[in-house]
C-alpha cells in the first residue's frame, strides 16, 4: 500500500503536469472500485480547471478553480499513469511501485486534458474517487483522522494525552490513522528502530523522552523517504527518470535474521506480526 511519502511523490509529479489545466473528458471503464463511482461523476469533472494538486495523509486532492474537490485514494494497489501525446517514454507511472509502464488491464478511470491524459490503474480495486462540492465537505471528510507527523499539533502534549492509560502497543498506534495520518507499516518499523523502542511496548509506558523521539524520527524518516522517492521495493524509474530507492535505507524492514546495523549492537532483526502486519525490530537495542 502506498504510504505518505509515495503519495507525496505522486502529488509532486502530477502538480507539475496538470495544474492550471482544464479537464476535457472523463472516461470510466469500471465504476466498481472500493466505493462505486456515481453515474454523474464524468459530468461533474468535465471542464473543471485544476487550480492545485494537494495531499493529506495518503489522499490526493484535486483542487478545482470553482471551490470543489476530487479526492483520490490509491488503496492497496492503485497507480496513476501519465500519458503525453506523441511521447514514446515507456515510463508512465508517476509513482515508484508496481508496473513502471501502463498495464493493459485494470485501467478504470481516464481523465483527459488537451495534451495528456491521466489513467488510474488498480488491480485490487480498493482505491476510490470522491467528488466534494466545497471546503467544508473536505474538512468533514478528514475529521476522523489524526494529524500528520509534520503538523504542529503532533507534539509532546498530544502524544502524552493520547497515550494516557492506553495498553495498546505503540506499533499499532503508529499505523492507526486516527492517531497519526500517513505513517504506514514500513515506516512505523523504521521509526521505532531509530527511537530504540520495541514495537510491542505499551503506549502508556512510554516516557516523555520516548515520545519526543517518536515525534522527531517520524518527521525525519518520512522526509528522507520523500527525498529518496519513497519505498518502491522494486527499483525502476518514473516518468521524470528518477528512482525510488528509500528501501536501500531500511534499517529493519525486510531484514529478518540479519545483524543490527547500529554500531556495537550484537542483536538480530526479528519479524513478528502486530495487527496482522509484519513488524521488524532489533531484539537487543529496542526496549
Amino acid at each position: 500500500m502506498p504510504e505518505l511519502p509515495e503519495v507525496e511523490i505522486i502529488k509532486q509529479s502530477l502538480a507539475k503536469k496538470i495544474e492550471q489545466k482544464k479537464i476535457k473528458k472523463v472516461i470510466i471503464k469500471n465504476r466498481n472500485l472500493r466505493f462505486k463511482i456515481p453515474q454523474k461523476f464524468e459530468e461533474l469533472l468535465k471542464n473543471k480547471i485544476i487550480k492545485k494538486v494537494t495531499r493529506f495523509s495518503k489522499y490526493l486532492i484535486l483542487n478545482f478553480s470553482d471551490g470543489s474537490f476530487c479526492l483520490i485514494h490509491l488503496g492497496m494497489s492503485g497507480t496513476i499513469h501519465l500519458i503525453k501525446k506523441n511521447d514514446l517514454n515507456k515510463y508512465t507511472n508517476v509513482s515508484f511501485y508496481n508496473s513502471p509502464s501502463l498495464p493493459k488491464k485494470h485501467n478504470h478511470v481516464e481523465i483527459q486534458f488537451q495534451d495528456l491524459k491521466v489513467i488510474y490503474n488498480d488491480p485490487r480495486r480498493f482505491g476510490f474517487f470522491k467528488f466534494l462540492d466545497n471546503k467544508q465537505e473536505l474538512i468533514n471528510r478528514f475529521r476522523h483522522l489524526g494529524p500528520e507527523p509534520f503538523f504542529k499539533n503532533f507534539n509532546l502534549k498530544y502524544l502524552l494525552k493520547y497515550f494516557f492509560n492506553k495498553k495498546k502497543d505503540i506499533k499499532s498506534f503508529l499505523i492507526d490513522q486516527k492517531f497519526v495520518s500517513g505513517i504506514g507499516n514500513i515506516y512505523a518499523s523504521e521509526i521505532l528502530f531509530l527511537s530504540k523502542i520495541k514495537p510491542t511496548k505499551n503506549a502508556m509506558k512510554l516516557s516523555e523522552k520516548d515520545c519526543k523521539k517518536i515525534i522527531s524520527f517520524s518527521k525525519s524518516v518520512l522526509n528522507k523517504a520523500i527525498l529518496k522517492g519513497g519505498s518502491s521495493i522494486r527499483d525502476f524509474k518514473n516518468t521524470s527518470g528518477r528512482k525510488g530507492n528509500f528501501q536501500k535505507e531500511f534499517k529493519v524492514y525486510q531484514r529478518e535474521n540479519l545483524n543490527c546495523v547500529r554500531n556495537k549492537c550484537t542483536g538480530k532483526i526479528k519479524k513478528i506480526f502486530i495487527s496482522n502486519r509484519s513488524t521488524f525490530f532489533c531484539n537487543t537495542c529496542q526496549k
Side-chain angles (χ1 to χ4, degrees):
M1 182 183 202
E3 300 184 16
L4 186 152
E6 287 77 38
V7 179
E8 175 64 23
I9 294 298
I10 297 168
K11 184 212 81 174
Q12 293 176 10
S13 299
L14 284 178
K16 293 176 184 177
K17 302 297 183 182
I18 66 174
E19 284 186 352
Q20 308 307 319
K21 291 185 180 293
K22 179 187 284 189
I23 296 174
K24 295 293 184 180
K25 188 178 182 181
V26 177
I27 298 173
I28 308 297
K29 297 180 180 179
N30 188 346
R31 298 183 185 276
N32 297 314
L33 301 183
R34 181 178 173 185
F35 306 120
K36 191 167 185 176
I37 299 176
Q39 292 292 333
K40 62 178 181 178
F41 185 79
E42 296 95 313
E43 288 303 314
L44 287 171
L45 265 61
K46 187 178 179 180
N47 294 324
K48 287 280 196 293
I49 297 173
I50 298 176
K51 183 180 179 181
K52 197 170 182 63
V53 181
T54 57
R55 176 198 58 75
F56 176 72
S57 183
K58 303 174 186 180
Y59 296 83
L60 287 167
I61 309 168
L62 303 183
N63 299 247
F64 298 126
S65 59
D66 65 354
S68 60
F69 303 87
C70 180
L71 203 64
I72 304 172
H73 194 281
L74 302 171
M76 297 293 291
S77 61
T79 51
I80 291 179
H81 295 259
L82 195 67
I83 312 294
K84 303 175 190 175
K85 285 186 178 179
N86 304 318
D87 188 349
L88 300 179
N89 183 8
K90 65 179 180 179
Y91 298 114
T92 61
N93 193 342
V94 297
S95 63
F96 299 88
Y97 57 92
N98 294 350
S99 173
S101 55
L102 182 67
K104 293 181 179 180
K105 296 181 178 180
H106 312 298
N107 297 312
H108 307 308
V109 180
E110 184 175 309
I111 302 175
Q112 297 181 357
F113 300 88
Q114 185 69 40
D115 55 347
L116 56 87
K117 57 186 175 181
V118 170
I119 296 177
Y120 177 72
N121 180 277
D122 190 353
R124 299 180 70 179
R125 292 188 284 116
F126 287 155
F128 65 84
F129 285 68
K130 177 77 173 176
F131 181 81
L132 302 171
D133 283 311
N134 51 60
K135 185 68 175 287
Q136 190 57 51
E137 285 191 12
L138 184 69
I139 293 171
N140 293 340
R141 186 63 181 76
F142 294 137
R143 199 177 294 281
H144 68 291
L145 298 176
E148 286 194 5
F150 303 123
F151 291 2
K152 289 183 179 180
N153 56 342
F154 187 69
N155 53 34
L156 181 61
K157 181 180 178 181
Y158 173 74
L159 265 65
L160 292 176
K161 183 179 179 181
Y162 207 100
F163 292 156
F164 182 72
N165 278 341
K166 298 286 176 57
K167 295 181 179 180
K168 190 165 71 172
D169 63 85
I170 181 57
K171 167 68 189 305
S172 294
F173 272 112
L174 287 181
I175 60 175
D176 183 352
Q177 302 304 296
K178 293 179 182 178
F179 166 61
V180 58
S181 292
I183 296 177
N185 194 48
I186 293 174
Y187 299 110
S189 286
E190 296 297 304
I191 290 164
L192 290 174
F193 171 77
L194 293 170
S195 302
K196 293 186 177 181
I197 298 171
K198 195 171 183 179
T200 55
K201 189 170 185 176
N202 285 352
M204 63 184 289
K205 295 182 179 180
L206 294 172
S207 65
E208 287 193 11
K209 186 178 180 181
D210 289 334
C211 291
K212 287 178 180 178
K213 286 180 180 179
I214 289 171
I215 294 166
S216 176
F217 286 118
S218 294
K219 299 179 197 296
S220 63
V221 166
L222 293 180
N223 270 322
K224 191 170 186 179
I226 291 168
L227 290 173
K228 291 286 184 177
S231 301
S232 60
I233 308 302
R234 298 180 184 180
D235 192 14
F236 59 79
K237 294 181 180 179
N238 78 335
T239 54
S240 64
R242 293 182 298 140
K243 291 183 177 180
N245 57 6
F246 185 71
Q247 67 272 19
K248 295 177 183 177
E249 307 285 334
F250 289 161
K251 303 295 190 293
V252 289
Y253 190 77
Q254 291 191 336
R255 298 192 71 249
E256 184 182 9
N257 296 325
L258 295 179
N259 293 332
C260 178
V261 298
R262 188 168 271 125
N263 190 30
K264 296 183 180 180
C265 180
T266 58
K268 296 278 188 181
I269 306 304
K270 299 299 178 182
K271 178 182 178 180
I272 58 175
F273 286 89
I274 296 177
S275 300
N276 295 318
R277 306 298 301 277
S278 57
T279 300
F280 299 85
F281 68 100
C282 174
N283 65 354
T284 300
C285 63
Q286 286 180 255
K287 302 182 184 300

